[in-house]
Amino acid sequence: MQSQKNLSIAHAWFEAFNNHNLDKLLSLYDDEAQHFSPKLKVKLPETNGYISGKEALQSWWQDAFNRLPTLHYKVTSLTSNSDRVFMEYIRTVEGENEMLVAEVLEIKDNKIIASRVYHS
């Protein structure tokens, strides 16, 4: 069942992210994947919050891992269907307040084709 495969991708995503394993994280994405984040809007205003392609994803996450070595996500809820996973998690960074985050992974042919982050 595809929704179970999508949940497996989400679990692999969290494992790779929390281990700051950039190669594993990128392997879950399609080469042309798109990503939206409010933090992109702030840090790179020229992107209007959107980046596309593995090179841009790699640059974005490598910068985050370098700046925030204690960055960690704690899953609170995962809901999946045949083409996406809705993830809720708590973002923790030593010395910062916890942040509640929601993220959607759109999945096609067992690869993430788009991800969108939502938080306040």
Side-chain angles (χ1 to χ4, degrees), residues 52-81:
S52 183
K54 283 189 177 182
E55 186 175 317
L57 291 169
Q58 180 178 14
S59 177
W60 175 243
W61 285 319
Q62 187 64 65
D63 177 66
F65 294 155
N66 290 343
R67 284 183 299 105
L68 307 167
T70 62
L71 178 61
H72 183 84
Y73 294 159
K74 182 171 70 172
V75 179
T76 58
S77 176
L78 296 175
T79 306
S80 81
N81 64 23

Side-chain angles (χ1 to χ4, degrees), residues 45-113:
E46 69 278 9
T47 68
N48 203 29
Y50 289 91
I51 55 176
S52 183
K54 283 189 177 182
E55 186 175 317
L57 291 169
Q58 180 178 14
S59 177
W60 175 243
W61 285 319
Q62 187 64 65
D63 177 66
F65 294 155
N66 290 343
R67 284 183 299 105
L68 307 167
T70 62
L71 178 61
H72 183 84
Y73 294 159
K74 182 171 70 172
V75 179
T76 58
S77 176
L78 296 175
T79 306
S80 81
N81 64 23
S82 62
D83 64 354
R84 69 191 67 219
V85 179
F86 179 77
M87 311 187 305
E88 293 176 281
Y89 54 90
I90 298 170
R91 175 192 181 269
T92 62
V93 174
E94 192 174 299
E96 294 184 13
N97 290 331
E98 291 183 345
M99 179 185 293
L100 300 175
V101 181
E103 185 161 352
V104 177
L105 303 178
E106 291 184 37
I107 301 170
K108 182 178 179 182
D109 298 327
N110 297 315
K111 292 287 186 180
I112 300 166
I113 60 169

